[in-house]
Amino acid sequence: MTLRGIASSIAIAGLVVACTSDSGTGPTTARSGGPVEHQQLQDPNINPNDTYVVLDAASTNTGTITYDTQTVNPTTGQSVTSVTMPSPLASEFHVEIGYDVNGILRADVTGTWPIGTDSTSVSVPDAYRVVLSNGQLTEYNAAGAVLAPSTLPSDSEPAGSSFLNQLGNQLLHGVLTNGVLVDSLQAVAAPPSPSGSLITFSRILTTDANHRSIVATGPGLVGRGWGNKVKGYHRDGSKWVLDSIAGDYNSASNGFSLHTHQVLRLKNVQWNVNPAMDSSRNAFLAANPGPHIGRDTTSQTSLGNVRGILERQQCAPGQCGDGGGGGTGGGTGGGGTPPPPGQNIVFQHGLFNAGGVWSRMDGWLAPEFSFGTTLLPSLSATARAQTQTDQLISDVAATGQTHFLIVGHSMGGLIARRAAQERPDLFSGVLTVGTPHVGAFLALQSKAVIANILTYLANELWYGCTSYNEDPGCAVAYFVASVGVSAAVEFAANALVPANIDLQPGSAFTTALNTATETFPRVGIESYSPKRWVLARLGGDSQCFPENPTCGGRAWAKYANDAYWGARLLQILGAMVGNETIYDVGTRIVDVMDYIDYQWDWWTAPGDQTDGVVQGRSQVYPRATANLSIPGGDSHDGEPNSDKTRTKIEQAFDQVFLVPRLN
Amino acid sequence: MRESGGASKDRPMPRHGVTPVLGLFLLALLVSCDLSSGNTGPVQIAWRYPLSGSEAGWIGIPAVSGNLVIAEMGPWLRALDLSTGHLVWQTRLSSGLHIGARNVAIAGGRAFVAGADSVYAVDATSGQRLWAFLPDAQGALCQITADSTTVYVGTRSHRVYALSADSGQVRWSVDIGPAWTNPGVVNGIAEAGDTLYVTGLEYLNPSGGFRTAQVIAMTRVSGSELWRYNGPDSANGTNNAASLSGDLLLVADIYGHSFFAVNRFTGMQAWRVPTSGLGPIQAPVVSGTTLFVGGEDNFAYSNNVQTGSARWKVDVGGSIDYVALCGRVLLANDLELRVLDTARGADLQTLLTGVGEDYPTSAFAVRGAQAFVVGNAGAYGLSCPS
């Protein structure tokens, strides 16, 4: 036996152990060793006289990514060349799948979601339940409300539907007795080779009389990145019932490698079989397999080949949001008093930005508050912080006026504080938004490494895609690679960005800043975005205003969520009807999306809240007059344009800085 | 021929008829039959009054008058039917984008607001504007109060005005800081019996980086000072009016990272409770012997009114601007609408999370088990468990 053969055997043995040990002593093993769960069909639209299954499913995903160079673990400060998800990212579902009275496949999946990567998940409006009916997918949130399909430009199909089209006619007529319930394991182990299928099960391993596993291996699988795959079954009456599917996925490219291990466990299975109906369905599918629409799993394309869609995602001037402001005039006011002297104000941008980033906020606030001189300076946005501070002081001093209240976003908040510390005669107060007061973890990382790894992961998500619109996962992959990465890495280390030195945790600049005396009123606004899909959110917010329903960060976060749920249902449906290729596509998408979130969080805000760029604790203004936090906030790039930020700024203007209201 | 099987076949039934997972599933199915409600849990959104542009996003304090709720919506003062959300009347009080009032005060069938320019009185039933008064400085930073004969307004010139509710004529005015050399404001007035309780903020340096609270009791008829409570240091201060419970005046000390009680007859501090960070902006609300208050430190607090001793505190995730008791639950606004159990602070529900653009911005107005709040895209009637 060759070394490769030995390794393969060991891997198979490990997978077999995973499958059989997870199933315990028998198919009736209950959750947490407790009493057997009694499963009853609850969905009234599933025909109880036809074939159906009711079960609980648990999906876990572990993995390791290895880099071609070192990256910094922000928790330990150590340089490492690989990152491993420390514990399985687990998701649990209750699944009911069968047929409606017309014999059309219907699935009803309810879950607790997400678990693992998102400490703020309670406020994430994720799909909680998905229902497949007549080939269409409907998502519900945890409160039971229907989630509207995404309406991103150039995507005219309902969320997730283009994923499901890959099932061909199995989408409507898939047969459960070909997947989750089978008569013969030999038939599964030697199936006819469907077009495009990469999976062939060839070996049956017997654990005992009632428990068996079937194993798929082969150079074709390894060449495509798929490692070994094992399905575990237990006998229940005349049927073999699927207990688990465990598989490995390995990929390597340009010095990076990804290894993941996925297990889907099924338990508490209750079922009914109508052989006559299943026979009819099988006959139909044999004659009408239906077109394969969707990812071409036999081809390899990369994101670099499909540039061009990005232009459609960018908002033309005036198309993103309302631009704020816009009084209606007229009215019957009291003819009141002249306002108090206007508050001189400076809106200071952050890294890689310019004064215009605050235009919308100025447009919102100027009609509400009595402003005097208003400045939106554009400094040398990548220069050292002290250089920018000097420029700011020079700009403000040139006005000949004093008592400026300065509002700084991100690094602009650090510059604002420094300027006010040096020239209290010019500045009367500081308000920071999303500012890294004690540095940003992200600044420790190499911009090139982060960009390369995220692009690599996005390419993994792009697996089998040939166009942006092929399915929601393809769209998210493209968007993350094209826009999300560039938006996200602005704080990362780059030798061409001198400011990065000052943004690193413990920098001399921030240390001096935080030890200096500040006698002016000072407010820090902290924005905490849901961690789930925050890269997509950052990308959207870098292109459009956050609330824009088609291209803002909120829309992109929802779109990523839709893609994830579509892929998850694809995975479950693939397992249920025995379509291995579809199962693998769904599994790979959810794995990679999980890993993208995990990896980004590992770099930026492990164990902390975040706006996607600056970790929560660093956004807190030390010894501030007031720190105001926004839950469910927009991402770092969206903060200056966010209506939620506006609400908190208004509060601070009113209550801390006593900025006069405009008549 | 049919066959069936599964884990539970030939097994004893579980002790509970429906497992938690199945229960949730069943709940989801039931809810899907009525999706118009959009939410489950103890609090329901009874209605939504859409707002756009500058009409939305008020961060002030609305008020209930009979079956109406009255709130600022941009330049308009509007009255909505609390049960249905139907617009009953609207009156434009500003030629600009916003009135800019901190709150609406109701008394004697009138509604009063202190806007960015003037103080206004309108008929609470019809919305007809009755009078306007121009103070020497803005009253927009003050949570005003009124009784059937007089409306009391504070200004950013740290002056308190007593205005005739009928005409807006000045009955008296006093400066609470005639010797102050730095800026200061009156930001809240409460009343009980023959006494007004004025909360003010005094800057201790020109920019206001150092600041302190002032709580002053004065006679309702003349504004004569009865006692004055001075904040303990140079880092404390109030933003709104105090609340009352028996002999105690309850004060939110946002900058002093605390809330406290003073005896309203003596001005002596009864107790002070430190918060985990920034304190509340809104004075505690009281039910019996229990108070509830939300901190800008993200915590909701429940304490004994008489002693200040803690019952519970919970982190809701964001800075809490306002809380209110509604029916049997506590509502908290941290730019999401949190529903908390009053007994333990348990998180029962979260509504208006901003996804779909709706999130709350204002304080709550409550009548029994009905509540109202303004948000960034609409105004909402809420139905609470009674």
Side-chain angles (χ1 to χ4, degrees):
Chain A
M1 181 179 281
T2 64
L3 286 175
R4 183 171 176 174
I6 293 170
S8 177
S9 297
I10 292 172
I12 292 171
L15 289 168
V16 170
V17 167
C19 290
T20 54
S21 62
D22 290 336
S23 61
T25 58
T28 58
T29 300
R31 194 183 317 205
S32 304
V36 172
E37 301 284 357
H38 183 72
Q39 300 278 21
Q40 292 181 325
L41 188 62
Q42 300 290 332
D43 187 334
N45 295 308
I46 292 178
N47 182 357
N49 296 315
D50 204 338
T51 300
Y52 70 81
V53 291
V54 179
L55 54 88
D56 294 326
S59 172
T60 59
N61 171 26
T62 57
T64 300
I65 189 167
T66 303
Y67 314 136
D68 65 340
T69 186
Q70 292 188 332
T71 191
V72 178
N73 182 336
T75 304
T76 65
Q78 303 294 311
S79 294
V80 298
T81 56
S82 67
V83 173
T84 298
M85 283 188 273
S87 59
L89 298 177
S91 305
E92 296 192 2
F93 311 92
H94 176 74
V95 178
E96 302 201 352
I97 184 166
Y99 305 90
D100 63 22
V101 292
N102 297 313
I104 303 299
L105 190 68
R106 179 181 174 88
D108 203 326
V109 179
T110 307
T112 300
W113 194 260
I115 299 170
T117 57
D118 188 0
S119 63
T120 64
S121 60
V122 291
S123 63
V124 177
D126 279 326
Y128 182 82
R129 172 182 174 228
V130 288
V131 172
L132 173 71
S133 178
N134 287 316
Q136 298 295 315
L137 182 66
T138 304
E139 297 180 358
Y140 300 83
N141 67 15
V146 172
L147 298 176
S150 297
T151 54
L152 285 172
S154 69
D155 180 73
S156 58
E157 299 189 51
S161 68
S162 50
F163 275 138
L164 304 178
N165 285 339
Q166 295 176 85
L167 284 158
N169 278 337
Q170 283 186 309
L171 179 60
L172 300 178
H173 305 290
V175 183
L176 300 177
T177 47
N178 295 341
V180 64
L181 304 168
V182 297
D183 291 319
S184 164
L185 294 183
Q186 282 75 16
V188 177
S193 296
S195 176
S197 173
L198 301 169
I199 308 297
T200 300
F201 288 95
S202 56
R203 299 168 60 189
I204 300 177
L205 306 178
T206 300
T207 306
D208 57 41
N210 292 318
H211 295 87
R212 293 183 183 171
S213 302
I214 59 174
V215 181
T217 59
L221 291 178
V222 174
R224 289 292 310 165
W226 297 106
N228 301 308
K229 189 174 182 182
V230 176
K231 299 171 76 170
Y233 290 86
H234 74 267
R235 188 195 299 275
D236 186 1
S238 66
K239 298 294 183 187
W240 287 97
V241 180
L242 185 65
D243 282 332
S244 61
I245 304 177
D248 291 332
Y249 174 71
N250 305 288
S251 171
S253 175
N254 298 325
F256 303 106
S257 68
L258 175 67
H259 168 79
T260 64
H261 175 73
Q262 315 90 19
V263 180
L264 180 69
R265 296 181 180 84
L266 311 180
K267 54 188 177 183
N268 306 321
V269 181
Q270 180 85 25
W271 52 270
N272 181 70
V273 168
N274 186 322
M277 293 294 288
D278 289 338
S279 177
S280 173
R281 277 186 281 265
N282 271 321
F284 176 83
L285 286 175
N288 305 281
H292 173 88
I293 302 172
R295 298 191 178 206
D296 178 3
T297 55
T298 63
S299 72
Q300 285 276 31
T301 63
S302 70
L303 285 160
N305 297 331
V306 290
R307 302 283 175 188
I309 190 71
L310 177 59
E311 285 72 18
R312 293 205 293 273
Q313 297 307 306
Q314 292 173 326
C315 297
Q319 291 186 343
C320 293
D322 62 14
T328 51
T332 56
T337 174
Q343 171 69 59
N344 294 334
I345 191 159
V346 181
F347 290 99
Q348 184 55 55
H349 65 78
L351 188 67
F352 285 115
N353 254 311
V357 75
W358 281 112
S359 295
R360 188 189 202 199
M361 190 65 71
D362 180 39
W364 274 333
L365 299 175
E368 289 188 65
F369 294 94
S370 177
F371 289 163
T373 298
T374 302
L375 300 178
L376 281 70
S378 291
L379 308 179
S380 302
T382 59
R384 293 293 299 268
Q386 188 59 51
T387 301
Q388 294 190 60
T389 301
D390 295 342
Q391 292 175 346
L392 172 62
I393 290 173
S394 176
D395 285 357
V396 172
T399 67
Q401 299 186 51
T402 61
H403 292 87
F404 280 87
L405 168 60
I406 182 166
V407 179
H409 174 238
S410 189
M411 184 180 182
L414 302 179
I415 294 162
R417 289 181 61 194
R418 190 66 191 157
Q421 289 173 1
E422 291 185 6
R423 293 294 301 272
D425 57 317
L426 290 179
F427 300 97
S428 60
V430 172
L431 186 153
T432 67
V433 178
T435 290
H437 290 283
V438 293
F441 287 147
L442 188 54
L444 295 169
Q445 312 293 346
S446 159
K447 178 172 292 197
V449 169
I450 290 179
N452 288 340
I453 291 173
L454 289 178
T455 302
Y456 164 70
L457 289 171
N459 261 306
E460 291 295 306
L461 190 57
W462 183 253
Y463 158 75
C465 298
T466 54
S467 74
Y468 172 89
N469 277 333
E470 195 144 349
D471 64 43
C474 299
V476 171
Y478 193 93
F479 190 71
V480 167
S482 303
V483 178
V485 173
S486 59
V489 301
E490 65 179 18
F491 267 48
N494 183 333
L496 300 177
V497 181
N500 177 265
I501 297 170
D502 302 315
L503 295 172
Q504 294 183 0
S507 73
F509 186 84
T510 56
T511 300
L513 200 65
N514 293 324
T515 53
T517 299
E518 296 178 321
T519 60
F520 44 83
R522 50 213 180 272
V523 172
I525 293 177
E526 309 144 28
S527 184
Y528 300 137
S529 303
K531 286 186 173 180
R532 204 66 166 156
W533 322 129
V534 76
L535 264 182
R537 188 183 296 272
L538 272 165
D541 287 342
S542 74
Q543 300 292 302
C544 299
F545 291 150
E547 78 281 7
N548 186 292
T550 58
C551 60
R554 300 175 198 173
W556 270 105
K558 178 179 181 343
Y559 205 52
N561 193 55
D562 288 348
Y564 192 87
W565 265 96
R568 180 63 80 181
L569 192 64
L570 199 68
Q571 176 196 40
I572 292 174
L573 286 174
M576 295 294 108
V577 302
N579 188 324
E580 301 299 336
T581 301
I582 297 306
Y583 171 83
D584 289 342
V585 169
T587 301
R588 183 162 169 176
I589 292 170
V590 297
D591 284 356
V592 173
M593 290 186 78
D594 274 343
Y595 214 98
I596 288 174
D597 264 6
Y598 181 84
Q599 177 68 79
W600 185 248
D601 186 48
W602 187 91
W603 273 321
T604 55
D608 199 355
Q609 301 190 81
T610 184
D611 62 2
V613 171
V614 180
Q615 67 272 22
R617 279 188 280 273
S618 190
Q619 293 186 51
V620 177
Y621 192 146
R623 303 187 309 279
T625 310
N627 275 296
L628 308 174
S629 61
I630 303 172
D634 294 304
S635 74
H636 191 77
D637 283 11
E639 286 159 352
N641 293 309
S642 169
D643 47 6
K644 295 186 178 183
T645 307
R646 169 193 177 178
T647 298
K648 287 299 178 186
I649 290 179
E650 289 172 346
Q651 181 182 334
F653 277 16
D654 266 347
Q655 299 174 0
V656 180
F657 300 109
L658 307 184
V659 179
R661 283 276 180 174
L662 198 59
N663 290 354
Chain B
M1 186 183 78
R2 295 171 49 215
E3 56 181 324
S4 62
S8 66
K9 197 167 56 174
D10 303 324
R11 305 284 175 179
M13 287 289 288
R15 283 170 294 181
H16 305 291
V18 180
T19 66
V21 170
L22 283 173
L24 285 172
F25 180 68
L26 187 60
L27 179 62
L29 286 177
L30 290 172
V31 168
S32 67
C33 298
D34 179 17
L35 298 172
S36 59
S37 62
N39 56 79
T40 60
V43 172
Q44 302 291 315
I45 297 175
W47 49 263
R48 177 179 187 272
Y49 181 87
L51 298 171
S52 60
S54 60
E55 292 184 352
W58 187 41
I59 58 175
I61 306 167
V64 170
S65 175
N67 62 343
L68 302 181
V69 61
I70 301 174
E72 172 181 327
M73 299 179 190
W76 304 95
L77 191 66
R78 284 188 177 138
L80 306 179
D81 185 297
L82 183 56
S83 299
T84 66
H86 292 145
L87 177 65
V88 177
W89 56 256
Q90 61 178 358
T91 299
R92 184 160 187 151
L93 295 180
S94 171
S95 57
L97 287 182
H98 303 89
I99 300 170
R102 173 64 56 88
N103 73 311
V104 178
I106 303 287
R110 303 181 184 93
F112 305 94
V113 293
D117 50 3
S118 300
V119 181
Y120 298 96
V122 302
D123 184 285
T125 304
S126 66
Q128 180 185 4
R129 200 174 99 177
L130 302 174
W131 52 258
F133 169 75
L134 190 64
D136 71 305
Q138 279 188 345
L141 295 179
C142 181
Q143 182 180 349
I144 66 174
T145 191
D147 58 34
S148 60
T149 62
T150 310
V151 55
Y152 305 95
V153 178
T155 69
R156 58 191 307 133
S157 59
H158 39 85
R159 182 170 288 277
V160 176
Y161 284 90
L163 306 175
S164 164
D166 291 331
S167 65
Q169 294 293 311
V170 177
R171 296 184 185 279
W172 54 258
S173 75
V174 296
D175 185 347
I176 66 166
W180 295 357
T181 56
N182 295 306
V185 296
V186 174
N187 46 29
I189 304 173
E191 46 91 11
D194 59 0
T195 308
L196 297 179
Y197 301 96
V198 176
T199 44
L201 180 69
E202 179 190 4
Y203 278 14
L204 300 178
N205 67 340
S207 66
F210 301 113
R211 54 185 63 195
T212 191
Q214 303 270 328
V215 182
I216 303 136
M218 59 179 64
T219 62
R220 192 192 286 255
V221 295
S222 67
S224 300
E225 185 169 323
L226 301 172
W227 54 256
R228 179 176 295 237
Y229 173 92
N230 292 302
D233 52 31
S234 60
N236 68 93
T238 62
N239 276 142
N240 283 296
S243 58
L244 292 112
S245 178
D247 292 351
L248 296 178
L249 200 60
L250 307 176
V251 184
D253 186 350
I254 178 172
Y255 309 116
H257 296 198
S258 61
F259 52 95
F260 63 93
V262 296
N263 183 297
R264 71 184 181 97
F265 299 108
T266 67
M268 301 298 291
Q269 180 175 306
W271 49 258
R272 179 178 285 266
V273 175
T275 52
S276 298
L278 201 64
I281 65 168
Q282 177 199 24
V285 297
V286 176
S287 174
T289 60
T290 302
L291 69 81
F292 303 90
V293 68
E296 296 294 311
D297 60 353
N298 301 2
F299 281 91
Y301 297 82
S302 178
N303 296 67
N304 180 282
V305 173
Q306 291 302 316
T307 64
S309 59
R311 295 178 68 235
W312 52 258
K313 72 172 190 177
V314 296
D315 186 342
V316 304
S319 295
I320 301 173
D321 296 333
Y322 300 105
V323 299
L325 288 162
C326 181
R328 291 185 287 106
V329 298
L330 182 70
L331 306 177
N333 175 357
D334 69 339
L335 295 192
E336 299 184 338
L337 174 53
R338 314 279 184 172
V339 181
L340 304 177
D341 160 47
T342 56
R344 296 174 293 109
D347 184 2
L348 301 177
Q349 189 181 7
T350 303
L351 297 162
L352 302 177
T353 58
V355 178
E357 301 309 305
D358 291 65
Y359 61 86
T361 57
S362 77
F364 302 97
V366 177
R367 183 185 65 185
Q370 291 179 298
F372 168 85
V373 68
V374 177
N376 70 313
Y380 311 89
L382 307 171
S383 175
C384 305
S386 54

